[in-house]
Amino acid sequence: METGAVEHAIVIEDGDVLELDKTDARKKDKVTAGRVLIDSGSSIDVVEDLVIKDRRILSEDGIVLAVLAINKRTGKIEQAPEVVMRGFGGADVTEQARESVLKTLDGLSIEQRSDYGMVKEKVRAELKRVIQKSTGRRPMIMPVIFGDLKLSKTGKGRVDE
């Protein structure tokens, strides 16, 4: 008596390549599958997942730029930090954010201020804490450090080396 049960079953998922011949079927390879997003006007046609993630964060929670001027040789803060926020609705926490950046920088030693990687992480962490506590948002936070500033050759203004 035949039950109708299958002797051999193959479970395949999106992207699995199924190879068939006259007597058999088997999983062969895997290919990229799923949604393919195209960025119009770009030289690269397919948009990577990381780009989509970044764009989602920007659209939902905005971006914060902390612009710092720190002399790498001396660790001296050359100018008061600037904090620029975009994509925020509601409460303006720019001044509170600027004060938290200054407090963070003041809490670092001269040697620590010379390590730009450490400064960026400390500033990013503090801004994340302050902004999330004040607004409930989690924006993309990008500290930017201009270092070793000096007067330009014309003597007018400062330029980055």
Side-chain angles (χ1 to χ4, degrees), residues 86-102:
R86 295 291 182 264
F88 277 70
D92 183 12
V93 294
T94 306
E95 192 56 41
Q96 184 181 356
R98 187 178 301 124
E99 289 172 13
S100 75
V101 170
L102 266 174

Side-chain angles (χ1 to χ4, degrees), residues 7-160:
E7 266 184 50
H8 183 76
I10 299 174
V11 177
I12 61 171
E13 298 175 358
D14 288 348
D16 288 341
V17 175
L18 182 64
E19 185 177 86
L20 303 169
D21 62 28
K22 290 182 181 183
T23 60
D24 198 20
R26 66 195 141 280
K27 266 200 250 188
K28 174 113 181 182
D29 278 325
K30 195 148 184 84
V31 296
T32 303
R35 293 186 301 174
V36 176
L37 302 171
I38 308 297
D39 197 1
S40 66
S42 173
S43 60
I44 302 169
D45 289 337
V46 178
V47 180
E48 299 291 324
D49 290 340
L50 183 60
V51 173
I52 299 300
K53 180 181 175 193
D54 286 348
R55 289 179 181 176
R56 186 174 295 122
I57 291 169
L58 290 171
S59 72
E60 293 172 2
D61 291 321
I63 186 169
V64 175
L65 296 174
V67 183
L68 314 169
I70 301 173
N71 187 307
K72 190 168 186 90
R73 289 184 289 257
T74 65
K76 181 182 174 201
I77 301 167
E78 298 285 340
Q79 258 181 302
E82 289 292 322
V83 177
V84 180
M85 298 182 173
R86 295 291 182 264
F88 277 70
D92 183 12
V93 294
T94 306
E95 192 56 41
Q96 184 181 356
R98 187 178 301 124
E99 289 172 13
S100 75
V101 170
L102 266 174
K103 185 178 174 185
T104 300
L105 292 174
D106 287 343
L108 298 175
S109 69
I110 291 172
E111 293 81 24
Q112 289 173 320
R113 280 192 234 136
S114 298
D115 180 352
Y116 288 171
M118 175 187 276
V119 172
K120 286 180 179 183
E121 272 312 304
K122 296 275 187 185
V123 167
R124 183 180 290 116
E126 180 59 18
L127 283 173
K128 178 182 175 183
R129 186 190 68 74
V130 167
I131 293 167
Q132 193 168 6
K133 182 179 175 188
S134 300
T135 67
R137 293 182 179 244
R138 297 183 61 176
M140 181 178 292
I141 300 172
M142 296 180 61
V144 179
I145 301 176
F146 292 102
D148 298 332
L149 298 174
K150 64 179 183 178
L151 286 177
S152 68
K153 292 183 183 185
T154 63
K156 296 179 180 178
R158 301 169 71 90
V159 295
D160 196 6

